[in-house]
Amino acid sequence: MLTRWISARQARLNLDRAAAARFRTAPLTWGGEDTAGERSVDLVLGADLTYNREAWPALVKTLRALRAPALLSASERRPHELSELEAYLREAGFALAVLDSPIEHGYARDRVRLLRVSARVPA
């Protein structure tokens, strides 16, 4: 699956002019053999990509290849889904912090969490 992380247009709408000029997007083959290629990535942003457990291995492979911290938005659609995702990511060698949703009301407040994911630092 070919995905554009964040469009250049969205960057222009959400960043100041100087930051938007430095912002770059690139196609990404999620879970592919050459996920990172030669590019350097500062931050991976992801939303609505954790609901399918069968995709978790591709997510881990992609995060490992990109070697960048990630901020993932995940929602609990099934019982224990988020705790199982957290355990899966930790077992895959990632450190993570679970943050409450910044949304104040409704589904996103109660069911959405932000996962700050980074490579585990060896002891």
Side-chain angles (χ1 to χ4, degrees), residues 77-123:
R77 291 183 170 101
R78 290 170 286 285
H80 312 292
E81 183 173 20
L82 290 177
S83 62
E84 290 171 13
L85 173 62
E86 291 170 40
Y88 186 85
L89 290 170
R90 285 190 174 103
E91 287 173 19
F94 293 99
L96 62 107
V98 180
L99 311 170
D100 287 335
S101 172
I103 306 300
E104 295 182 8
H105 304 286
Y107 179 87
R109 175 73 208 149
D110 299 331
R111 298 282 182 106
V112 174
R113 296 295 174 263
L114 301 176
L115 305 178
R116 188 172 55 212
V117 182
S118 59
R120 187 178 297 148
V121 178

Side-chain angles (χ1 to χ4, degrees), residues 25-104:
T25 63
L28 171 69
T29 304
W30 199 50
E33 290 300 319
D34 187 27
T35 299
E38 295 297 318
R39 76 184 117 210
S40 173
V41 176
D42 296 319
L43 177 67
V44 177
L45 296 174
D48 205 29
L49 48 83
T50 62
Y51 64 89
N52 182 350
R53 293 168 199 246
E54 293 176 13
W56 292 358
L59 172 62
V60 164
K61 186 175 184 178
T62 301
L63 292 176
R64 282 185 181 146
L66 293 172
R67 291 185 219 112
L71 185 59
L72 307 176
S73 171
S75 62
E76 183 125 51
R77 291 183 170 101
R78 290 170 286 285
H80 312 292
E81 183 173 20
L82 290 177
S83 62
E84 290 171 13
L85 173 62
E86 291 170 40
Y88 186 85
L89 290 170
R90 285 190 174 103
E91 287 173 19
F94 293 99
L96 62 107
V98 180
L99 311 170
D100 287 335
S101 172
I103 306 300
E104 295 182 8

